[in-house]
Amino acid sequence: MLDAMSGAADTTKPQGMGGFEETLKDFWVSRPRRPLSGRKVAGVAAGIGNRYGIDPVLVRVAFVAATVFGGVGLSVYLLCWLFFARVDDEVSPVEALFGRGRSSMPKAGTIIGLIALFPLSGWVFGNGWFDGGAIIGLALLVTAIYLLHRSRGHENRPIATTPAATTFAMAAPAAQTDDPLGAAPLAWDLPDPEPVVSAPPPVRPPRAPRRKSKIGIAVFGIALLVAGTGFALGTTGETWFSAQHIIGLVLGVLGIGMVAGAFAGGGRGLIWLAVPLSVAGVALTTVPVESYAGGFGDINATPATVAEVQPVYAHTAGDIHLDLTRLPADAVVGTRIHSGAGTTTVMVPSNADVTYTCHVRAGNVDCFGQATDGLRRPAVSGTDNGTDGPGGPRIQLDIEQGAGTVEVHRG
């Protein structure tokens, strides 16, 4: 009964190998405990790694990946922080909030963490972050923990910390005035009570020191080889080997190396290369800058004739300001603006008939009052004849931009 109350599991049967419901119950009873050493923030990743015998670096990579590609990693980490007890605590911070035991986290901190979950989860799941990536990331994290517990739930089961028992001194019985045995009470020869010996808590054997492995150096060398080969093929005209694809290949090599290092030892330093590459990959996927040529800097153009209007205004990054208000009244022109990043502003005559398409992959669009804002929003297109109706210069605009702001208005 005491074992059941303290959360200790029955060791006579395999743990974590039953049905779905039994596995979840056993996970809750024997959930990881946050250690005091080897932690980076709250010890969640270290606790999961210690519990299931894997490298905590691999767990941290999973949290970072779930945060970058979906945003759910931060919410799950905060939940684990609130519901995983520290090794020297009796219960988790949330359980301590309801008076079920002692926790080192102040109750005010627990309340703040619970309150922070609501806006954080609303931001992740309510804004369509990466088109459903939050739900996919949450499903992958839960599935990974479930499979880990089914395969390794019987190992390294944490030892629950229980409150110290309170002992009370028994009062000595009052001396009897009549001695029915015919002897003084001090002369009675009674056996001494056996001392109560409390069993020492089980001691977990220390972990064997990790042997040094050269897997990190080997994986880093392979990653460099893959990156160099991809770059060389890209320069020869192989369009598939773009910056995004090369980064994806390198991240795949690093991911395989970190998984292997989690079980074989080594490869911890690869995370410092994988994280910035992941951020760069997301940025390049959102804004493919390699498709925007033309150099850097600002473009300012005020053509006064049709011949002065260039068919294409293109550059990689910078501001474009195109003033078409000086065109003659009978002008018929068309131009295309292709920019990687920056601010593009086009001014047209007040009486011009304009057919337009404005598209920004990441940023803001305001073309004749039609506006979009955000990532991967649809293009804005239409025809605007001005307040005077059809007549006047005829202009066709096709604006494509990677990131920044696009504005088209009348001068």
Side-chain angles (χ1 to χ4, degrees):
M1 181 180 68
L2 291 176
D3 288 343
M5 294 176 61
S6 63
D10 183 8
T11 57
T12 61
K13 65 177 182 177
Q15 301 293 332
M17 296 300 293
F20 180 78
E21 183 178 356
E22 182 181 347
T23 302
L24 293 182
K25 289 181 179 179
D26 186 70
F27 168 77
W28 178 256
V29 171
S30 63
R31 60 192 184 274
R33 285 180 165 260
R34 297 180 287 113
L36 296 175
S37 59
R39 53 196 295 172
K40 300 299 182 183
V41 181
V44 172
I48 295 175
N50 295 340
R51 172 69 176 88
Y52 297 108
I54 60 177
D55 196 327
V57 174
L58 184 62
V59 183
R60 296 186 182 108
V61 170
F63 276 121
V64 171
T67 300
V68 174
F69 301 97
V72 75
L74 192 58
S75 299
V76 174
Y77 190 93
L78 182 57
L79 274 174
C80 295
W81 189 348
L82 295 174
F83 285 94
F84 288 0
R86 211 170 69 175
V87 291
D88 57 341
D89 290 343
E90 297 169 4
V91 294
S92 67
V94 171
E95 292 171 305
L97 189 64
F98 293 95
R100 296 186 178 181
R102 176 187 57 81
S103 174
S104 58
M105 177 180 285
K107 291 185 178 180
T110 304
I111 294 174
I112 293 174
L114 289 172
I115 294 175
L117 277 174
F118 291 96
L120 185 61
S121 301
W123 170 73
V124 170
F125 292 99
N127 291 335
W129 180 263
F130 275 88
D131 299 328
I135 298 177
I136 297 174
L138 179 62
L140 291 176
L141 287 178
V142 172
T143 302
I145 290 294
Y146 176 77
L147 294 178
L148 271 175
H149 193 78
R150 282 190 63 87
S151 61
R152 302 189 177 194
H154 59 285
E155 302 175 359
N156 303 324
R157 298 182 71 83
I159 302 170
T161 304
T162 56
T166 305
T167 58
F168 300 92
M170 301 297 293
Q176 298 182 358
T177 56
D178 296 330
D179 184 14
L181 300 180
L186 296 178
W188 295 351
D189 188 11
L190 298 177
D192 295 332
E194 295 183 359
V196 178
V197 180
S198 58
V203 180
R204 183 181 298 174
R207 286 179 174 270
R210 288 184 177 271
R211 58 184 180 86
K212 292 185 178 180
S213 173
K214 296 182 179 179
I215 189 170
I217 298 176
V219 172
F220 180 73
I222 296 174
L224 286 180
L225 180 62
V226 169
T229 304
F231 180 78
L233 291 174
T235 56
T236 61
E238 294 290 338
T239 58
W240 188 88
F241 288 93
S242 60
Q244 299 100 309
H245 290 162
I246 294 175
I247 289 177
L249 292 174
V250 173
L251 285 174
V253 173
L254 295 178
I256 294 174
M258 285 186 286
V259 171
F263 294 94
R268 289 173 172 264
L270 297 175
I271 188 174
W272 301 110
L273 180 60
V275 170
L277 281 179
S278 300
V279 176
V282 172
L284 290 176
T285 302
T286 305
V287 184
V289 297
E290 81 285 347
S291 63
Y292 297 97
F296 298 84
D298 297 338
I299 296 177
N300 293 282
T302 308
T305 64
V306 174
E308 293 179 3
V309 178
Q310 298 182 16
V312 178
Y313 294 90
H315 68 174
T316 304
D319 296 338
I320 296 178
H321 181 80
L322 179 60
D323 186 354
L324 302 177
T325 59
R326 296 177 58 185
L327 290 176
D330 58 347
V332 178
V333 297
T335 187
R336 181 169 176 255
I337 298 176
H338 198 57
S339 176
T343 299
T344 298
T345 304
V346 180
M347 297 180 62
V348 299
S350 59
N351 62 338
D353 299 339
V354 183
T355 301
Y356 60 91
T357 299
C358 304
H359 185 212
V360 174
R361 296 177 181 270
N364 308 318
V365 170
D366 184 1
C367 291
F368 297 106
Q370 294 194 64
T372 62
D373 183 7
L375 292 172
R376 298 184 181 276
R377 305 299 296 170
V380 170
S381 60
T383 299
D384 190 289
N385 295 324
T387 57
D388 63 336
R394 287 184 293 170
I395 301 173
Q396 183 171 352
L397 296 175
D398 185 3
I399 304 175
E400 171 73 22
Q401 186 156 308
T405 300
V406 170
E407 296 180 357
V408 178
H409 54 83
R410 297 183 180 274

